[in-house]
Amino acid sequence: MHIPDGILPAEVAIAGYVTAGALSWYSLRRINQQPDPEAGMPKAALLTSAFFVASWIHIPVPPTSVHLVLNGLLGIVLGWYAFPAILIGLFFQAVLFGHGGLTSLGVNATMMGLPALLALLFFRLRHRLRLDNRNWTGIFAFLSGMGGLVLAALIAMTVLIATIPADLDVDAEREAIYSLTLAHVPLGIIEGAFAAALVLYLLRVKPELLET
Amino acid sequence: MIQRPITVLMLSGLVLILLIGVTPAAAHGVEITYALTPVQTVRVEVIVHDLAGEPVRKADVTVFTPEVAPGDAPAAAEAELSPWLETSTDRNGWVSFVPDPALAGSWQIAVAVDDADAHITLPLAEESGLIRLASDQGISVMSSGLQVTVAATPITTIQVALHAQFDTGEAMDEAQVVVYAPDNPQDPFLTGTCDAEGRYAFAVDLGRPGVWEIQVRKAGHGDWLKIDLDENAIEFEEVPVDTAGDADSTNTTVQTVRLADEVARSVESDDGLSSGQIVLMSATTIWGFVGTALYFSRRRAATRPESESDN
């Protein structure tokens, strides 16, 4: 899921930074409009560390293995703090462990952060549809958690397929990208279940943490 | 109260999945290690002329390894077997390549330009670990408007053996390898595919000294490798042979080759992180995030003590 340095052409990397910049600006503006922008900071900081370590947790999906991303979950729980949290988590992953890269940071942040915000909007839809009882909240959390991850995998697939260098065997590389994307479907189910479990748990023990 | 058992069930299922799947390694970074070995092989030179003796530039030259059925370059092309090398001639109608020394046998070369084409079988025989052209003379083929001359000169060069794996330890099987020669970073020197263990080997052409760049890539994961090999990458050594007891000979030496110290050192240097470093780096970073969370929650608690106590 994390695209490393040296894979993407320069214009795509720059476009990634432009979209990531725009999303950061919009997220920070929405955070600033809140009555107390600092209120979400402890939660955002904690979940940034969860996002930071999540990529260490590998789930074997033969013939490959995938790792947790938790972007949908961050969107649900953090609201507009999700994008800066993902951006910071990715920065640390890239600098410390070379997981992802600095030139591709913008693309990676957009790829995981935009679906996180879309997951948030979808999760909030339950209020408008008046489906915000406990069961429906769990279902919405599942779909948001799963959707955020699957959407990120689809964005990664599109970006990678559109930029396969001509020097490679394009068909073979495309096949490999398809199979890796497909491996993210079971992961989506796991992340959806994790999001639903966490949301139901928070709803029971500390519902004020779930303002979204 | 139906939700509570469901939550417990989901959480325990998740914990179970994670316990099965957790691998303590940085996620899907790529680790490429390589070994350099001096090898003796041949440099194959292909020169293409038209029947008037003029060099033919930009003729497509396609090379197939002996793994393809002998004498069957057209069949190989039809069967869409991936060629070992695809290139084209320069303005002198000339192109050269260094075949993989591990692959003795009948190499196939197909030359095509506009409406003319020619196919050459290049028998490379192995003799005590070295490959050379089976016949001492070069090969000359004339066909449908093209005259192709192929010669093979023995050279000593360096074989690069790559091993590509994800840093989970999983092999990058079937990963694609693209090699760029120092004097032409635009067009690949050769392209190939790793085996099931993520290994790939090729011989560089030391007639093209400088930094060789190698891209290994699979499904958007991969890395670039840069190997600096100049003319001095190989050192020749005279090794004295022990001839004690042989009255006739005195101080016999044998010439051998070895990697220059500088090149050998660059291979040995390993900038990978130890697991201790990784754990400590993770722990400090996590503590940074948790500390930030604690700082802000305490600050909030300190600034609003009255309103909190009202609740």
Side-chain angles (χ1 to χ4, degrees):
Chain A
M1 176 81 72
H2 296 53
I3 300 178
D5 286 331
I7 294 282
L8 297 174
E11 54 270 28
V12 177
I14 292 168
Y17 266 105
V18 171
T19 49
L23 285 168
S24 305
W25 170 78
Y26 186 72
S27 296
L28 293 177
R29 213 175 77 120
R30 292 301 294 253
I31 291 170
N32 250 336
Q33 284 167 355
Q34 291 176 3
D36 181 6
E38 263 189 25
M41 283 299 290
K43 199 166 66 169
L46 277 182
L47 277 165
T48 306
S49 80
F51 176 82
F52 173 73
V53 291
S55 70
W56 292 64
I57 297 172
H58 274 252
I59 291 149
V61 181
T64 177
S65 77
V66 291
H67 60 79
L68 287 184
V69 178
L70 298 185
N71 61 333
L73 176 75
L74 256 65
I76 297 173
V77 180
L78 292 186
W80 295 105
Y81 291 88
F83 195 85
I86 286 173
L87 187 63
I88 292 167
L90 283 174
F91 176 77
F92 275 87
Q93 286 173 343
V95 173
L96 291 182
F97 304 120
H99 185 199
L102 280 185
T103 59
S104 54
L105 180 64
V107 172
N108 285 333
T110 308
M111 176 213 301
M112 297 178 211
L114 182 64
L117 297 181
L118 294 177
L120 164 70
L121 297 178
F122 179 78
F123 187 61
R124 282 183 176 169
L125 209 60
R126 75 192 193 284
H127 295 306
R128 188 163 300 171
L129 297 175
R130 303 194 180 285
L131 295 171
D132 44 6
N133 65 28
R134 208 183 143 85
N135 282 344
W136 276 109
T137 301
I139 290 169
F140 268 82
F142 176 83
L143 292 176
S144 306
M146 178 172 170
L149 188 271
V150 169
L151 198 58
L154 289 177
I155 294 176
M157 181 184 89
T158 313
V159 170
L160 287 174
I161 285 189
T163 58
I164 298 175
D167 290 345
L168 293 184
D169 179 345
V170 176
D171 291 336
E173 176 70 1
R174 198 185 292 136
E175 285 292 305
I177 293 170
Y178 282 148
S179 71
L180 186 66
T181 308
L182 208 60
H184 280 84
V185 174
L187 179 67
I189 295 170
I190 291 170
E191 294 216 352
F194 188 50
L198 187 76
V199 161
L200 290 178
Y201 177 75
L202 287 180
L203 216 52
R204 194 154 51 83
V205 299
K206 222 164 164 49
E208 66 271 22
L209 278 181
L210 208 66
E211 293 142 353
T212 54
Chain B
M1 279 310 286
I2 188 138
Q3 289 90 350
R4 199 166 159 176
I6 288 179
T7 313
V8 171
L9 203 68
M10 283 162 100
L11 273 177
S12 47
L14 189 82
V15 168
L16 197 69
I17 290 167
L18 293 187
L19 283 180
I20 297 166
V22 167
T23 331
H28 276 191
V30 168
E31 235 172 47
I32 302 168
T33 51
Y34 64 95
L36 302 178
T37 332
V39 285
Q40 282 176 313
T41 177
V42 288
R43 176 185 288 120
V44 177
E45 290 176 274
V46 181
I47 304 165
V48 185
H49 289 98
D50 59 17
L51 292 187
E54 290 296 313
V56 179
R57 59 188 294 190
K58 291 201 171 161
D60 293 325
V61 177
T62 317
V63 181
F64 297 91
T65 62
E67 287 151 348
V68 175
D72 237 5
E78 267 169 38
E80 292 186 359
L81 287 171
S82 24
W84 185 78
L85 171 71
E86 284 175 294
T87 180
S88 55
T89 54
D90 67 2
R91 72 173 73 159
N92 299 318
W94 180 89
V95 68
S96 86
F97 64 95
V98 178
D100 186 339
L103 297 174
S106 295
W107 286 69
Q108 306 295 322
I109 305 172
V111 181
V113 58
D114 299 330
D115 49 353
D117 59 357
H119 298 284
I120 301 107
T121 299
L122 180 72
L124 292 177
E126 191 189 332
E127 231 173 65
S128 53
L130 315 177
I131 61 170
R132 57 177 196 81
L133 193 58
S135 69
D136 284 342
Q137 271 89 47
I139 303 170
S140 192
V141 171
M142 214 182 290
S143 80
S144 65
L146 285 181
Q147 186 184 347
V148 183
T149 313
V150 179
T153 336
I155 53 161
T156 301
T157 186
I158 290 174
Q159 186 182 40
V160 180
L162 301 175
H163 185 207
Q165 50 186 30
F166 293 111
D167 50 17
T168 52
E170 211 182 310
M172 286 182 77
D173 57 321
E174 312 283 310
Q176 295 193 46
V177 183
V178 187
V179 182
Y180 297 88
D183 55 352
N184 187 355
Q186 302 297 326
D187 307 310
F189 170 72
L190 63 87
T191 58
T193 309
C194 290
D195 66 7
E197 275 145 26
R199 292 180 194 279
Y200 183 76
F202 67 95
V204 301
D205 183 349
L206 282 184
R208 304 165 85 171
V211 179
W212 289 74
E213 297 196 12
I214 301 147
Q215 185 184 27
V216 181
R217 171 165 166 154
K218 185 189 177 190
H221 292 82
D223 205 357
W224 286 85
L225 198 63
K226 290 183 182 178
I227 306 179
D228 191 357
L229 297 174
D230 57 16
E231 298 98 329
N232 305 320
I234 287 177
E235 282 167 358
F236 292 89
E237 250 184 358
E238 302 286 326
V239 178
V241 178
D242 185 14
T243 53
D246 191 343
D248 295 339
S249 55
T250 49
N251 290 340
T252 313
T253 60
V254 172
Q255 198 183 48
T256 63
V257 290
R258 65 184 189 90
L259 281 183
D261 289 342
E262 204 176 310
V263 177
R265 261 200 306 277
S266 74
V267 180
E268 280 162 15
S269 68
D270 176 15
D271 55 359
L273 296 169
S274 73
S275 47
Q277 285 171 311
I278 291 176
V279 169
L280 191 63
M281 282 157 76
S282 305
T284 46
T285 311
I286 291 165
W287 175 242
F289 290 133
V290 173
T292 308
L294 291 175
Y295 169 76
F296 277 98
S297 59
R298 269 199 69 137
R299 210 159 87 124
R300 287 173 51 74
T303 51
R304 291 192 302 162
E306 296 87 6
S307 60
E308 296 287 324
S309 58
D310 286 350
N311 291 337

